[in-house]
Amino acid sequence: MIRKKIIITTGILLIIGILTIVYGVTKGWFNKKSKASGTPTVLLRVDPIPVQIAENNTFSYTLKANPNQNLNIIGYLLTINFDNAKVQITSIEYKTGVISQDLGQDTSNKDTVNQLGKINIQAEISTAQGELLLQNTDVNLVTISGKALITGIPQLLIDNFKLYQINSDSTLTEVSGGVGEFSTSSSSSQSSSSGSVASSSSSSEQSSLSSSSSNASTSSSSSQESVKVVIKIKYRMQGVLNWIANQSALTKLKILKNGVEIDNDSISFIASLSSDYLWHGQFEQRLVPSNDYVFLVKPDKHLQRKVCSLSGRDSSTLYDCGENTITLSSNTTDLDLSGLTFFAGDITGEQGIADGKVDSLDYVMIQLIIQNNTGKDPTKVAKADLNYDGIVDTQDASLIIEVWEKGINQDEK
């Protein structure tokens, strides 16, 4: 009797399971994907699709973004190139977010835009919470209006499109987008994307080559005896104009011998800010006495500089390492870099750590801190206080803009 009941019960449960699966299939349960799963991507398109416009007639196109999953964004940027002999821009209107001052361009910049044949679109969301873009739903980003100077299809070539997503832990992620429904723009985007892949592959190959060269160098110099070298260093950070007692900064340094890095790991030491507004520190290293050393120095939150003399200085132009090399022997060496400026702004990257670049992601991070009123939060100060005055504010954002104006955006190698 008990065995019979078990069989009947098992049969009933099996039938219920089969019916549940059939019902789920009809309802599309198993075709749905989590909105939070997968890599976020965004399709950018022009609406309406450009058609031929008669000479002196006007046009108006809206750029629409369509994400593959829900995205909470804090800003976006893109570049629009056009032939200023064929097209004249009359207005640039932001539909989502507001223009990033000193970075983006709108109607007030149309004379410059038409002269260069290029529009820099950069927007930020005015609320600290960001703005939610819904999965598979169009959102209007910006509307471009203009006049055709000759009969033809106005060509707006879209490049470098990126969105900045706010994650649940308040970090930022850069979301790159593809371009659709506009073949001329699509080819530009694909070219840029493939360039990135090639660059990544090249870096990997270079890393492999460096590793081989490093091994060869180590082998060739193993017969020479290393000695302890004490190096005292002082340097200047961009924007640090006030002395606050007990200010310190982690500084990383790599040593190259004959162009090859002698150790895979950076040397780290703490530099302290003195009343002369210079940072002072020192470290010890065992090295083979030689005259062919070069240093790569990277202070916290700042770009790395390449140094091949004991007293490099910037003048009307930036210091160029040139052919000089540093002589190190078994004594104390003073590395006086007070004549160099280390440029501020390298505070974040794809993994939330410094990535060797000062780009719009760093700027947006500071703007987000300002909008959230968290500029005095110790964790935010440690992360993004570029001038070491104890607060993250517009002065820090201005330092990034100053770096861009100098045409500097990445570590020296």
Side-chain angles (χ1 to χ4, degrees):
M1 178 66 70
I2 294 175
R3 183 178 179 183
K4 183 176 181 181
K5 287 183 179 180
I6 292 174
I7 294 173
I8 292 173
T9 301
T10 303
I12 292 172
L13 292 175
L14 182 60
I15 292 172
I16 291 173
I18 293 172
L19 290 175
T20 301
I21 292 173
V22 172
Y23 183 78
V25 171
T26 62
K27 292 296 183 179
W29 291 354
F30 307 104
N31 295 325
K32 294 183 179 179
K33 295 182 179 179
S34 168
K35 293 181 180 180
S37 65
T39 302
T41 57
V42 179
L43 176 70
L44 183 67
R45 65 186 184 87
V46 177
D47 185 36
I49 298 175
V51 296
Q52 182 165 293
I53 304 292
E55 182 179 351
N56 291 326
N57 279 16
T58 60
F59 63 85
S60 183
Y61 298 126
T62 297
L63 275 64
K64 296 176 178 283
N66 190 307
N68 69 334
Q69 59 183 252
N70 289 352
L71 295 179
N72 192 32
I73 68 166
I74 194 63
Y76 60 90
L77 63 82
L78 57 98
T79 301
I80 302 175
N81 296 291
F82 63 93
D83 188 342
N84 56 7
K86 299 178 180 178
V87 170
Q88 182 180 61
I89 302 300
T90 56
S91 73
I92 306 164
E93 182 181 0
Y94 288 74
K95 298 293 187 179
T96 297
V98 296
I99 184 173
S100 294
Q101 293 299 323
D102 301 318
L103 297 176
Q105 293 175 316
D106 59 10
T107 305
S108 65
N109 307 111
K110 64 181 181 181
D111 290 342
T112 301
V113 163
N114 285 315
Q115 181 180 0
L116 298 177
K118 179 179 180 180
I119 312 173
N120 293 318
I121 299 293
Q122 182 153 338
E124 57 191 57
I125 306 305
S126 55
T127 62
Q129 294 75 28
E131 181 159 336
L132 180 64
L133 305 189
L134 297 178
Q135 178 186 27
N136 299 328
T137 302
D138 279 343
V139 59
N140 296 336
L141 296 184
V142 62
T143 296
I144 308 296
S145 300
K147 181 174 71 172
L149 300 181
I150 63 173
T151 299
I153 300 176
Q155 299 291 316
L156 303 180
L157 308 181
I158 302 168
D159 196 13
N160 194 34
F161 173 51
K162 298 173 184 175
L163 288 169
Y164 298 106
Q165 174 187 6
I166 308 177
N167 302 313
S168 58
D169 59 357
S170 296
T171 59
L172 296 181
T173 300
E174 183 181 287
V175 182
S176 297
V179 181
E181 297 191 17
F182 199 3
S183 60
T184 52
S185 300
S186 179
S187 63
S188 172
S189 174
Q190 290 169 1
S191 172
S192 173
S193 177
S194 64
S196 269
V197 173
S199 174
S200 174
S201 172
S202 175
S203 297
S204 175
E205 291 174 5
Q206 289 174 0
S207 175
S208 175
L209 289 173
S210 294
S211 176
S212 300
S213 300
S214 177
N215 291 337
S217 174
T218 302
S219 175
S220 63
S221 62
S222 60
S223 59
Q224 301 180 50
E225 185 178 352
S226 63
V227 296
K228 184 177 74 172
V229 178
V230 178
I231 298 175
K232 293 183 177 180
I233 181 174
K234 59 181 177 180
Y235 60 82
R236 185 183 307 278
M237 284 190 192
Q238 174 203 15
V240 178
L241 304 175
N242 297 297
W243 176 66
I244 301 177
N246 301 319
Q247 283 281 34
S248 61
L250 178 69
T251 305
K252 295 183 178 181
L253 184 141
K254 295 181 179 180
I255 302 177
L256 281 64
K257 186 178 189 302
N258 197 24
V260 178
E261 189 177 338
I262 65 170
D263 199 334
N264 291 331
D265 298 322
S266 297
I267 299 166
S268 297
F269 62 93
I270 299 296
S272 299
L273 179 61
S274 296
S275 56
D276 58 2
Y277 309 140
L278 297 177
W279 299 82
H280 296 255
Q282 73 174 50
F283 62 93
E284 297 179 358
Q285 185 74 7
R286 294 199 67 86
L287 298 167
V288 175
S290 180
N291 63 351
D292 55 3
Y293 287 104
V294 169
F295 293 154
L296 299 177
V297 183
K298 185 175 180 65
D300 188 37
K301 297 176 284 198
H302 287 63
L303 290 175
Q304 173 176 282
R305 298 204 65 175
K306 185 177 182 179
V307 181
C308 51
S309 60
L310 293 176
S311 57
R313 310 190 73 81
D314 289 322
S315 54
S316 57
T317 58
L318 289 183
Y319 166 80
D320 185 358
C321 200
E323 298 298 325
N324 296 330
T325 52
I326 296 172
T327 298
L328 296 177
S329 57
S330 56
N331 55 20
T332 300
T333 299
D334 289 317
L335 185 59
D336 181 2
L337 305 183
S338 57
L340 296 180
T341 298
F342 285 83
F343 299 103
D346 184 14
I347 59 175
T348 190
E350 291 184 1
Q351 305 301 322
I353 58 176
D355 60 359
K357 298 182 292 185
V358 176
D359 55 20
S360 53
L361 189 59
D362 301 301
Y363 181 84
V364 171
M365 173 64 77
I366 290 178
Q367 291 288 25
L368 183 60
I369 293 171
I370 295 171
Q371 292 175 18
N372 280 332
N373 255 346
T374 56
K376 292 185 178 180
D377 183 324
T379 59
K380 305 300 183 185
V381 170
K383 176 76 175 175
D385 179 18
L386 301 181
N387 61 357
Y388 287 82
D389 63 354
I391 184 173
V392 180
D393 56 15
T394 54
Q395 291 185 30
D396 300 296
S398 296
L399 288 177
I400 290 182
I401 295 175
E402 184 180 329
V403 171
W404 290 340
E405 288 176 345
K406 294 178 181 294
I408 301 164
N409 60 9
Q410 61 185 358
D411 284 345
E412 292 181 358
K413 302 291 188 181

